Amino acid sequence: MEKKDKYIGQLLDGRYEILEIIGSGGMAVVYRALCHRLNRYVAVKILREDLAQDEEFLSYFQTESQAVAQLSHPNIVSVYDVSRPPSVEYIVMELVEGVTLKQYMKSKGVLSWQEALHFSIQIAKALSHAHEKGVIHRDIKPQNIMILRDGTVKVADFGIAHLESAHETAEGHTLGSVHYMAPELARGSKVDARCDVYSLGIVMYEMLTGRRPYEGENAENVALQHISGICTPPHELNADIPSELEAIVLRAMAADPEERYQSADALLADLEAFRNAHAVLLAGAAPESAVREGGLSEEDVFTKLKPIGAVGELSKENYSRRRRRARKVSTLAGFFCVLIFAVAVFVFLWNFWLRDIFSTAERVDLPDFVGENCESVVNDASLKKLYHFTVVYSIDPDTEAGIIVGQDPEAGRSLMKVSEGIDVKLTVSTGVMMTKVPDVANKDHREATLELQNAGFLVDEIIEPSDTVTADYVISTNPAAGDELPAGSTVYMTVSGGPSVKTVRMPNVVGFTESAARSKLENAGLIWGESSYVTSDYTAGTVFKQSIDAGTEVNEFTKVYIWVSTGPEQKDKDKDEDQEPAAQQQSLGMTDWTGAVA
């Protein structure tokens, strides 16, 4: 018997009558409600009971209340009221009549670039307004973007929005949807408005190509691909995308925040400039009718897809008109209404109560499948009659492959037999999965790291000099390519640091002749730079000084300068007599071949 939601039928704060559930997420449930004070339908978002006591989730929910209260924009879902009584936390919002962008894309497939452009501009305008108010959404994805019947976009769900003015209490904690998450958010780094720009870039890519740029077996794998920033260019998946629009998308989703658009305003400016440059191609279809440009009618998109809610305000005149019409209902119509009501009550009671009393359906206790061989369990004919098995796999080196390591529901639960079989999820061990090490030699180390990680390995880089392999390219791996390792093992990757720099010990050339000193330097792998000739007490032609002290370790091919003696200074006996001519020579700058003043 299905359990009725506790809030349906309640009147919150004597004003909001909860009518039905219209959506649910990880943090809250959204209900359609009637505001008795203003006679209009609204959406009421109530925090899940199991999270109401969790301080972290309660903080996120209250952050949303603060964030959306600051926002007022035609492309953002409006908030009417926020209430925080002791028993329940809720937000009252505009009830939007439309479908999510995710539903729309699923129904329609790849969108035309004109339609994608129309939606993208509106989302960028919404983000621009939010960022101006200091609010970062941090969870932009198709599921949080509403498309109205007239083609208007409304951004919703600021459930994990981040106020720039708020203090971060959980450093390194990542939030959001991994397929649309900016690399810096996945790393737990400090976030800013560029995270939303990145997520919008991913959404634009998906609208134009019909697929997300990064897919993987698990969230970690997808996050690593975001960080690498290597994806299939959009034009390879859809040749109709204009190159200028593709360039805008790729810049918006650049892995490096510094290479990305630095604000939603900058992205919006380029989108509008592109739209204006292609005005001729966009002519003939008003922006408001963008939903119909792709060939789907309202019947196709909005009637076949269940709308998120129905917008409607009951004016005082309409409210009175309905009351008058109700009083004019004939007795026969009233009889049929009572009959229909009685039948509905009977059906309701039968489904939720009477069937349990009068039904002969049996209940069974769910067996304990943990430790059993999965193949034996799912192929057992007697079990197939009672259960519908779903199998998921988990790497468990401590358990033999094919053995069940978990089940949901747990063993011992008393469950009612149903014709289609009781749903049971089995978690099965893969054992130790052996995987071949891919050949990444002579590949750029970033590309090689991603390839090894995609194969299920951890990577540890070792830098070594190499005269044959270009810097930053892989020399080898340990274990070698082709060897098999258990998934999750570490592969040590040796990467070239470029040509090695050889060092030599500086020889002593003091006391040698100039030619001998030069020969000694060249034999040591050094370069003679220049000789200076100066008077000294050393014998003429002898080296008495070198630019680098003997014994010093220096790089090969370093230049070395030497000083060569011209002999002791000559003292003239008639120095006093010749002083004036000598002074004249010095003032004229006359020098001999040694470079000393004559």
Side-chain angles (χ1 to χ4, degrees):
M1 181 174 69
E2 185 179 352
K3 184 179 179 181
K4 181 180 177 181
D5 186 275
K6 62 176 288 187
Y7 291 112
I8 292 179
Q10 282 198 27
L11 192 64
L12 300 181
D13 288 341
R15 177 175 180 179
Y16 303 108
E17 181 184 358
I18 305 299
L19 302 177
E20 61 178 334
I21 296 175
I22 57 175
S24 61
M27 291 173 55
V29 180
V30 183
Y31 299 85
R32 181 170 175 265
L34 175 63
C35 174
H36 283 228
R37 188 175 301 173
L38 298 177
N39 294 318
R40 67 180 176 186
Y41 293 106
V42 294
V44 175
K45 187 172 186 178
I46 301 179
L47 183 64
R48 288 183 177 275
E49 275 189 290
D50 54 331
L51 301 178
Q53 305 305 317
D54 188 311
E55 292 185 3
E56 183 178 20
F57 279 94
L58 188 60
S59 172
Y60 293 149
F61 193 80
Q62 291 172 354
T63 295
E64 176 180 13
S65 304
Q66 298 171 32
V68 295
Q70 303 178 52
L71 307 180
S72 178
H73 192 273
N75 295 123
I76 297 177
V77 173
S78 299
V79 171
Y80 298 143
D81 193 8
V82 176
S83 182
R84 295 174 55 187
S87 58
V88 59
E89 300 257 355
Y90 68 88
I91 300 174
V92 182
M93 303 176 294
E94 169 187 9
L95 187 62
V96 179
E97 181 183 13
V99 297
T100 66
L101 179 57
K102 188 70 173 179
Q103 289 176 304
Y104 186 72
M105 289 192 295
K106 185 176 181 181
S107 172
K108 195 173 178 186
V110 177
L111 305 188
S112 68
W113 66 261
Q114 294 93 334
E115 196 170 13
L117 175 65
H118 175 64
F119 292 157
S120 300
I121 287 175
Q122 293 184 74
I123 300 169
K125 287 180 178 179
L127 293 179
S128 174
H129 175 74
H131 295 168
E132 183 182 350
K133 298 295 184 180
V135 179
I136 303 171
H137 192 289
R138 294 206 300 182
D139 198 21
I140 292 296
K141 58 184 177 181
Q143 294 91 326
N144 287 340
I145 298 168
M146 300 297 302
I147 308 295
L148 278 61
R149 290 180 180 272
D150 63 358
T152 300
V153 164
K154 284 187 178 285
V155 178
D157 198 352
F158 282 76
I160 57 172
H162 169 64
L163 291 174
E164 288 181 325
S165 59
H167 176 65
E168 280 288 288
T169 59
E171 293 184 3
H173 186 62
T174 59
L175 296 167
S177 303
V178 71
H179 286 94
Y180 305 90
M181 184 185 296
E184 59 269 30
L185 193 56
R187 287 192 293 262
S189 304
K190 179 176 173 60
V191 303
D192 56 31
R194 292 175 295 182
C195 290
D196 285 349
V197 172
Y198 180 89
S199 299
L200 176 52
I202 300 293
V203 172
M204 292 165 64
Y205 184 106
E206 186 175 359
M207 286 192 289
L208 292 166
T209 65
R211 51 168 282 188
R212 295 177 297 211
Y214 304 116
E215 297 287 357
E217 296 178 357
N218 52 53
E220 182 181 4
N221 181 266
V222 175
L224 289 171
Q225 292 182 58
H226 279 289
I227 293 172
S228 74
I230 302 172
C231 68
T232 303
H235 74 270
E236 293 185 12
L237 302 173
N238 180 1
D240 294 333
I241 302 173
S243 58
E244 305 98 310
L245 184 57
E246 180 183 51
I248 293 173
V249 172
L250 293 177
R251 182 179 175 189
M253 55 184 284
D256 184 350
E258 298 302 322
E259 297 178 2
R260 202 179 302 157
Y261 285 104
Q262 298 301 292
S263 66
D265 286 337
L267 170 59
L268 178 60
D270 274 8
L271 288 172
E272 291 185 326
F274 172 81
R275 180 181 62 183
N276 294 336
H278 293 74
V280 174
L281 294 177
L282 291 166
E288 291 77 9
S289 61
V291 170
R292 294 180 287 277
E293 288 176 11
L296 285 183
S297 66
E298 289 186 2
E299 174 67 22
D300 293 322
V301 178
F302 291 97
T303 305
K304 292 183 180 179
L305 292 177
K306 182 181 179 181
I308 297 303
V311 174
E313 284 202 15
L314 298 178
S315 64
K316 183 176 181 180
E317 293 75 11
N318 288 338
Y319 190 71
S320 300
R321 191 180 300 116
R322 289 191 178 188
R323 292 288 300 273
R324 289 195 298 272
R325 187 182 302 124
R327 287 194 293 267
K328 294 178 181 178
V329 175
S330 66
T331 303
L332 182 59
F335 171 76
F336 278 111
C337 287
V338 172
L339 179 61
I340 292 171
F341 176 76
V343 171
V345 170
F346 177 78
V347 170
F348 177 82
L349 292 175
W350 175 260
N351 287 329
F352 293 96
W353 181 41
L354 297 176
R355 184 169 60 181
D356 288 345
I357 297 175
F358 297 104
S359 175
T360 59
E362 301 177 8
R363 301 183 73 88
V364 294
D365 293 332
L366 186 63
D368 186 358
F369 297 116
V370 175
E372 300 290 330
N373 182 279
C374 175
E375 189 173 348
S376 300
V377 171
V378 298
N379 292 325
D380 187 301
S382 60
L383 293 175
K384 281 184 177 180
K385 296 178 181 178
L386 294 173
Y387 306 104
H388 175 260
F389 293 110
T390 302
V391 178
V392 295
Y393 293 92
S394 174
I395 298 175
D396 188 344
D398 300 325
T399 306
E400 182 183 346
I403 300 300
I404 299 170
V405 294
Q407 67 182 68
D408 184 22
E410 296 178 354
R413 291 279 300 277
S414 179
L415 304 170
M416 184 176 292
K417 291 173 62 176
V418 291
S419 58
E420 62 271 21
I422 301 169
D423 287 325
V424 179
K425 182 171 74 172
L426 303 177
T427 303
V428 180
S429 170
T430 60
V432 179
M433 294 185 64
M434 302 301 290
T435 307
K436 284 187 177 181
V437 177
D439 185 2
V440 295
N442 295 315
K443 293 185 177 181
D444 182 274
H445 73 110
R446 290 163 295 191
E447 179 185 351
T449 298
L450 184 60
E451 187 172 342
L452 289 167
Q453 289 172 338
N454 287 341
F457 299 113
L458 301 175
V459 181
D460 191 354
E461 283 191 11
I462 302 170
I463 309 297
E464 289 186 1
S466 174
D467 296 327
T468 57
V469 178
T470 305
D472 294 331
Y473 278 69
V474 178
I475 300 173
S476 62
T477 58
N478 183 22
D483 289 353
E484 290 193 344
L485 287 177
S489 299
T490 300
V491 174
Y492 296 91
M493 184 171 69
T494 303
V495 179
S496 170
S500 58
V501 179
K502 184 178 179 181
T503 61
V504 297
R505 186 179 296 277
M506 174 63 62
N508 180 27
V509 296
V510 174
F512 289 82
T513 63
E514 181 183 7
S515 60
R518 289 178 60 176
S519 178
K520 195 170 184 180
L521 291 172
E522 290 170 357
N523 290 338
L526 301 168
I527 299 174
W528 167 75
E530 187 179 340
S531 296
S532 297
Y533 304 95
V534 183
T535 59
S536 77
D537 293 337
Y538 279 75
T539 305
T542 302
V543 176
F544 70 89
K545 183 181 177 182
Q546 59 191 72
S547 61
I548 301 175
D549 293 338
T552 305
E553 290 286 339
V554 296
N555 292 339
E556 192 176 20
F557 307 121
T558 298
K559 277 189 177 183
V560 183
Y561 300 88
I562 60 176
W563 282 259
V564 182
S565 175
T566 61
E569 182 178 0
Q570 296 294 325
K571 293 185 178 180
D572 194 337
K573 295 180 181 179
D574 300 325
K575 182 176 180 181
D576 293 339
E577 298 177 3
D578 299 336
Q579 186 174 2
E580 185 177 347
Q584 291 175 353
Q585 290 179 358
Q586 186 175 0
S587 67
L588 294 173
M590 298 176 65
T591 59
D592 65 7
W593 66 275
T594 65
V597 177

